Amino acid sequence: MKSLLPPSRGYFAIGVEGISKAVNLGNLLRSAHAFGASFVFTIGADDRALEMQADTSKASTHLPLYHWRSLAELKLPKGCALVGVEIHEEARALPSFPHPLRAAYVLGPERGALTAELAARCQHLVRIPTAFSLNLATAGAIVMYDRLRSLGRFGSRPVVERAAAPPPPPHVQGPPRRRRRQG
């Protein structure tokens, strides 16, 4: 089956601090798999959450899942920006956030917020502009969709109803390489 995801640059991961519900972790994992995440992670997860109910795509067999007991154990690839997703005064609204090419997004726990230590470690803080907080797995899916929309190779959206969308920009690999003759 051909992937419906357009090619995009860079990579991303998504994770959660202090998750306690297996259904939420399973749903987040399924969404991460669908959106093309490189890996998923937890920090200080409740052991019951690691049962991962609702992962109907069996994402845990297709992408790495890391469980770190504490923030001190968190290890991200070199050059990977940690982006906290949180309702916070200093957080930038997601629709105006320029996603890093290499990013690990981290959400706070159900019925809670990112710890002050984790928020301080984040290079960026973003918030989804809503009237109140969303379900953790839903918030993760929105962040991943926004990343795909921003960094995927989509054309511009029409600004008026029923207008035709312009075609996506052509994919460019760079100039042709000159090769030496062998022999």
Side-chain angles (χ1 to χ4, degrees):
M1 180 176 172
K2 184 180 176 194
S3 174
L4 299 176
L5 290 176
S8 65
R9 298 181 55 148
Y11 64 85
F12 77 95
I14 192 151
V16 62
E17 179 185 38
I19 193 165
S20 62
K21 296 179 180 169
V23 170
N24 279 338
L25 183 56
N27 283 332
L28 184 66
L29 198 58
R30 176 183 162 85
S31 294
H33 183 209
F35 281 111
S38 297
F39 63 95
V40 176
F41 63 96
T42 66
I43 303 168
D46 185 293
D47 287 337
R48 292 171 295 182
L50 303 181
E51 295 168 9
M52 289 179 299
Q53 299 167 356
D55 174 19
T56 57
S57 72
K58 304 292 183 224
S60 59
T61 62
H62 300 287
L63 70 155
L65 175 58
Y66 300 102
H67 300 294
W68 290 298
R69 289 278 163 214
S70 68
L71 180 57
E73 293 179 13
L74 175 65
K75 301 260 188 286
L76 295 175
K78 185 176 180 179
C80 182
L82 188 59
V83 181
V85 181
E86 189 60 74
I87 299 172
H88 192 278
E89 276 183 19
E90 297 173 21
R92 188 167 185 177
L94 185 62
S96 64
F97 177 64
H99 292 269
L101 285 180
R102 298 168 305 215
Y105 301 91
V106 63
L107 299 113
E110 304 99 336
R111 298 181 187 189
L114 294 174
T115 60
E117 297 80 20
L118 181 54
R121 187 162 166 188
C122 291
Q123 285 87 4
H124 308 279
L125 288 175
V126 297
R127 62 182 160 71
I128 300 168
T130 58
F132 47 86
S133 65
L134 299 171
N135 168 274
L136 181 136
T138 301
I142 290 169
V143 169
M144 291 183 280
Y145 172 80
D146 190 74
R147 178 184 175 86
L148 178 67
R149 182 73 183 103
S150 297
L151 296 178
R153 301 198 192 285
F154 292 98
S156 300
R157 280 193 175 161
V159 292
V160 294
E161 188 176 355
R162 297 187 184 149
H171 181 68
V172 178
Q173 290 285 353
R177 290 187 185 174
R178 291 189 174 193
R179 298 182 183 199
R180 288 186 179 164
R181 284 185 155 180
Q182 301 250 348

